[in-house]
């Protein structure tokens, strides 16, 4: 139990010495860390860890080697990762059967297992150290501080790597000074809207109410997004510390984590960190011997995308249906339209002043208090300070979690960090901001990534999803995918979103089925405007963004679908045909034998085979099984 700041200072000093010695090897031991993020766990990293423990015991190396699980390394497409200190050797794509070789070759004979080193795809050079890999070179870890290095279930390691130094400093400041520090940093909400965090805190601080709340929004629901999950899995204490600092700044005594139940590992590690922080006296009554008391609680979400909207989230925590709250009507005074006066910072959870920040935002707060607002603001652009975490996925070689300074260009993100497009395909678009965002094209590749730039180009930052598409993606089909998601996730409270999104999806289905008309495109644009302007919450207000964006950037594809009845990318089944080239057909009959509906006929060894388009179900099995590449899509 830590009862005073002096005791915490001593504890942090001891943990820091132990932590530094562990990774520098000055304690006489070598340290092995193994990725324990969800991605690597799905690739058997837990078994790899167990095998290492078994092998270390079998070779009597317990007094020479430690083995530990850590959070996400970020480079998900290359996992599972094993890293060995103090040499800083990084092995990728490790399997259980590789463990014995690593133990014998590296741990015992001090030689590198070169076949498990990352190979640069351009230079073909084997790279030993993590920081020398292109994927990591342009990254800067602020929100991901400690992920991939500390054991998320070991508070001593977190304290040894900087945890609670931010709170220590905050407790020597007034509440207003803490809010001013966050304002000065330029931190904007990382959950999507980019609202200045310090301003939100100021609204709550200004409320004269003895009961206030801090809520952490861990309900990321964007397809392909896993930023918040990885932070909670890799360094939950950083987010807890951010909440405690926020609670001190606004005068709250309780905080709530709202995390989706589909994140069981994140929830488990978060609960472990909360329990240990309470036991250590870093949560609860009279923290560090001061008059400040603050505790946190976990509430599980049921996977409703709309609960990412803060008022719907608050309803869910209160036990109500997760639906957005109606904001008060705007009033006219002196000829000006006034903004609504009631926000969660004024009247939120159970009617009390509440600030809602997402996981990444709160993970940045300890850094700001620990290192200073100026240090945080050194990175980024004029209006978007600091770093941003992106879940980079889709048609890109290096899939994973990246944290880059604001102002990094899309070209750097996709090509320098992401490694470019697989199989030599041509880049077509990148969808940022998830279902609420839009598509950016080749002409936008050199645009700096920040909140205002992306909005100006017809997209948005969102929570950080970044899905790359190549020439084989149909942009009409992409818009349909996101609209299907929005229709499923609409809470149905307001008719513009409930009905309008379904009408837009019906039109997109009609277009991809080859039954669309030019009038449908006009109606689609009209519906997009109506839904955007009249929906109750941000889900509906941004629901049409993928349609608006793709129609603006790729209108020719929409025209091809409705006028020529063709899908240029050969994705929409009703608008394509499989065709056997007579001159390339070797008359082997393999395609006919594999066709599940007997749509292919011919005479083996005598006549080229042909496909009956009236029977063909466009499954593509013939094309994938033809050994002579004689079948094409038209």
């Amino acid at each position: 139990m830590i009862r005073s700041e002096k005791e915490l200072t001593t504890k942090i000093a001891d943990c820091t010495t132990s932590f530094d010695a562990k990774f520098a090897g000055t304690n006489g031991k070598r340290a092995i860390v193994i990725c324990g993020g969800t991605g690597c766990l799905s690739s058997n990293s837990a078994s790899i860890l167990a095998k290492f423990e078994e092998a270390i015991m079998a070779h009597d190396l317990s007094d020479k080697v430690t083995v530990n699980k850590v959070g996400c390394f970020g480079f998900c497409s290359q996992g599972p990762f094993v890293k060995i200190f103090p040499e800083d050797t990084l092995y990728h794509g490790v399997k259980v059967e590789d463990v014995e070789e690593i133990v014998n070759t590296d741990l015992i004979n001090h030689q590198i297992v070169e076949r498990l080193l990352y190979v640069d795809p351009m230079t073909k050079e084997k790279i030993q150290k993590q920081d020398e890999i292109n994927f990591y070179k342009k990254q800067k870890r602020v929100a991901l501080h400690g992920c991939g290095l500390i054991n998320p279930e070991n508070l001593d390691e977190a304290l040894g790597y900087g945890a609670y130094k931010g709170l220590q400093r905050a407790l020597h400041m007034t509440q207003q000074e803490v809010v001013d520090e966050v304002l000065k940093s330029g931190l904007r909400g990382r959950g999507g809207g980019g609202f200045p965090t310090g301003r939100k805190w100021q609204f709550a601080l200004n409320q004269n109410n003895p009961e206030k709340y801090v809520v952490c929004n861990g309900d990321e629901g964007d397809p392909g997004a896993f930023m918040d999950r990885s932070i909670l899995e890799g360094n939950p204490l950083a987010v807890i510390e951010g909440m405690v600092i926020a609670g001190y700044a606004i005068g709250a005594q309780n905080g709530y984590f709202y995390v989706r139940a589909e994140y069981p590992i994140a929830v488990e590690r978060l609960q472990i960190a909360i329990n240990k922080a309470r036991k250590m006296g870093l949560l609860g009554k009279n923290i560090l011997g001061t008059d400040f008391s603050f505790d946190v609680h976990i509430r599980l979400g049921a996977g409703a995308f709309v609960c990412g909207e803060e008022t719907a989230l608050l309803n869910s925590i209160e036990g109500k249906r997760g639906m957005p709250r109606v904001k008060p009507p705007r009033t006219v005074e002196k000829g000006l339209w006034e903004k609504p006066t009631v926000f969660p910072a004024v009247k939120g959870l159970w009617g009390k002043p509440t600030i809602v920040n997402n996981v990444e935002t709160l993970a940045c707060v300890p850094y700001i208090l620990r290192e200073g607002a100026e240090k945080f603001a050194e990175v980024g652009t004029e209006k978007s300070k600091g770093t941003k975490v992106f879940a980079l996925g889709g048609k890109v070689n290096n899939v994973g979690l990246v944290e880059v300074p604001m102002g990094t260009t899309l070209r750097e993100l996709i090509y320098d960090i992401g490694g470019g497009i697989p199989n030599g395909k041509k880049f077509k678009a990148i969808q940022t901001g998830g279902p609420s965002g839009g598509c950016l094209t080749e002409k936008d590749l050199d645009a700096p990534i920040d909140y205002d730039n992306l909005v100006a180009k017809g997209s948005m930052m969102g929570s950080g999803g970044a899905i790359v598409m190549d020439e084989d993606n149909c942009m009409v089909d992409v818009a349909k995918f996101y609209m299907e998601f929005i229709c499923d996730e609409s809470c149905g409270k307001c008719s513009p979103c409930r009905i309008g999104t379904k009408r837009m999806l019906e039109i997109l289905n009609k277009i991809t089925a080859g039954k669309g008309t030019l009038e449908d495109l006009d109606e689609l644009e009209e519906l997009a405007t109506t839904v955007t302007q009249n929906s109750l919450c941000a889900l509906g207000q941004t629901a049409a963004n993928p349609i608006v964006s793709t129609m603006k950037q790729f209108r020719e594809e929409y025209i091809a679908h409705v006028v020529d009845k063709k899908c240029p990318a050969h994705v929409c089944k009703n608008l394509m045909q499989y065709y056997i080239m007579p001159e390339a057909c070797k008359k082997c009959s393999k395609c006919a034998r594999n066709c599940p509906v007997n749509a292919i006929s011919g005479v083996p060894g005598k006549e080229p085979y042909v496909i009956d388009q009236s029977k063909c179900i466009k499954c593509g099995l013939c094309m994938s099984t033809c050994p002579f590449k004689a079948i094409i899509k038209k």
Side-chain angles (χ1 to χ4, degrees), residues 295-326:
D295 207 350
V296 297
H297 319 273
I298 298 177
R299 294 293 183 268
L300 299 184
F305 180 66
V306 73
C307 285
E309 197 275 338
E310 59 183 13
T311 62
L313 182 153
L314 296 178
N315 276 343
S316 183
I317 292 177
E318 292 177 5
K320 303 171 186 174
R321 185 175 177 184
M323 302 175 82
R325 298 175 180 177
V326 178

Side-chain angles (χ1 to χ4, degrees), residues 228-305:
D228 293 349
R229 185 197 74 200
S230 295
I231 294 171
L232 290 175
E233 288 179 355
N235 190 359
L237 193 63
V239 191
I240 294 171
E241 183 185 0
M243 286 189 75
V244 177
I245 293 170
Y248 174 76
I250 71 167
Q253 293 189 350
N254 282 282
Y256 286 86
F257 278 95
Y258 187 84
V259 186
R260 52 181 43 223
E262 296 95 327
Y263 288 175
I265 297 170
V267 172
E268 179 185 6
R269 291 178 183 173
L270 178 61
Q271 188 64 67
I272 289 171
I274 291 171
N275 293 342
K276 290 186 175 181
R278 282 187 188 136
K279 188 175 180 179
M280 200 176 284
L282 299 177
L283 279 176
K285 298 288 185 182
N286 305 114
I287 295 174
L288 301 182
T290 67
D291 293 333
F292 172 57
S293 300
F294 189 85
D295 207 350
V296 297
H297 319 273
I298 298 177
R299 294 293 183 268
L300 299 184
F305 180 66

Side-chain angles (χ1 to χ4, degrees), residues 9-10 18 29 85 121 180 186 206 216 302 323 352 361 405 558 582:
T9 300
T10 302
S18 175
K29 294 184 178 183
F85 293 92
D180 288 343
N206 291 345
C216 175
M323 302 175 82
K352 307 300 181 182
T361 307
Y558 281 86

